[in-house]
Amino acid sequence: DAGVIQSPRHEVTEMGQEVTLRCKPISGHNSLFWYRQTMMRGLELLIYFNNNVPIDDSGMPEDRFSAKMPNASFSTLKIQPSEPRDSAVYFCASTRGSGANVLTFGAGSRLTVL
Amino acid sequence: GESVGLHLPTLSVQEGDNSIINCAYSNSASDYFIWYKQESGKGPQFIIDIRSNMDKRQGQRVTVLLNKTVKHLSLQIAATQPGDSAVYFCAETKGRGAQKLVFGQGTRLTINP
């Protein structure tokens, strides 16, 4: 199993540009999570999906952030327009079943907005 | 409110020694706890978990202790190795569903040769 796959691993962009982060969960996992990690705030849950349906997006910072999961093997997190304060590492994680507690994380996407 | 905190942000130990990483939690209703390890440039990786009906659980070189009286969780790593250098997070939740997980800020463990 290749694990949770995220791309890009690193992205540097300028303020105002659109950023799209991608995630492929583990096959058979039907719950997917997007987290943001910063030194100041630690790991924050942004949104999670169950069976491709967004269940809770209360952690999404503002309307500039959006996430989609068009099928069971792909999800995107989009920031438009990006701002310097969005600089962080964004993790995707998946788990089997909505009641499962143990997450498997991807390697993360490090975003730097200049 | 609910929070998971750590007594020390950094910990340095000599290679071969045992290390203990501590975590305090404030939600007495939490019934499930997890320790994650995050190496540089990687995502958090599951190490070990424990339910609130247990006081101790052992894995390979790791032991988690839960003291519900004082709401304290610890991770013991025996005979530390250079590969143990990482940031360790505790997380807590009540009930089922990873979306309820509350992560602590993390402790950086450094293994000195």
Side-chain angles (χ1 to χ4, degrees):
Chain A
D1 193 333
V4 177
I5 300 174
Q6 292 187 244
S7 65
R9 289 297 315 277
H10 303 275
E11 173 127 1
V12 180
T13 190
E14 293 188 343
M15 182 174 62
Q17 296 298 305
E18 176 182 301
V19 173
T20 300
L21 307 178
R22 299 172 177 81
C23 175
K24 175 179 168 56
I26 291 175
S27 178
H29 283 193
N30 60 354
S31 291
L32 182 141
F33 303 75
W34 282 100
Y35 281 85
R36 178 171 67 177
Q37 185 178 44
T38 62
M39 288 297 295
M40 292 296 293
R41 302 172 69 90
L43 271 167
E44 301 175 277
L45 177 63
L46 300 177
I47 185 172
Y48 84 95
F49 296 82
N50 183 244
N51 292 326
N52 312 339
V53 176
I55 304 299
D56 185 354
D57 65 354
S58 59
M60 296 286 260
E62 48 196 274
D63 292 345
R64 297 184 297 105
F65 286 69
S66 63
K68 295 182 179 179
M69 192 165 186
N71 57 63
S73 59
F74 184 65
S75 177
T76 60
L77 177 67
K78 183 177 294 186
I79 308 172
Q80 181 185 22
S82 59
E83 296 182 2
R85 61 191 168 125
D86 301 330
S87 297
V89 181
Y90 291 82
F91 288 102
C92 177
S94 68
T95 189
R96 187 187 304 273
S98 60
N101 288 339
V102 179
L103 294 167
T104 301
F105 285 83
S109 295
R110 180 176 293 277
L111 173 64
T112 301
V113 183
L114 303 175
Chain B
E2 299 178 7
S3 66
V4 178
L6 291 161
H7 293 173
L8 296 172
T10 60
L11 178 65
S12 293
V13 298
Q14 291 296 122
E15 182 178 350
D17 287 353
N18 299 333
S19 64
I20 300 176
I21 302 171
N22 297 303
C23 178
Y25 63 95
S26 61
N27 185 1
S28 57
S30 291
D31 57 8
Y32 180 71
F33 305 86
I34 307 176
W35 280 100
Y36 279 91
K37 172 187 180 183
Q38 185 175 19
E39 297 176 83
S40 179
K42 298 182 180 180
Q45 179 183 16
F46 171 85
I47 302 174
I48 192 169
D49 58 358
I50 188 169
R51 296 206 171 273
S52 59
N53 60 353
M54 302 172 67
D55 297 323
K56 179 180 180 179
R57 191 171 187 208
Q58 286 184 295
Q60 186 177 12
R61 284 202 306 117
V62 294
T63 301
V64 56
L65 299 177
L66 176 61
N67 186 331
K68 295 180 287 295
T69 302
V70 294
K71 291 184 287 187
H72 184 267
L73 190 69
S74 68
L75 177 70
Q76 300 178 358
I77 305 175
T80 53
Q81 304 168 357
D84 295 328
S85 292
V87 176
Y88 290 82
F89 295 92
C90 63
E92 62 173 316
T93 187
K94 178 181 183 304
R96 297 175 60 80
Q99 65 276 11
K100 303 184 185 69
L101 279 173
V102 176
F103 285 87
Q105 289 297 308
T107 294
R108 180 174 299 280
L109 176 65
T110 301
I111 309 301
N112 300 315

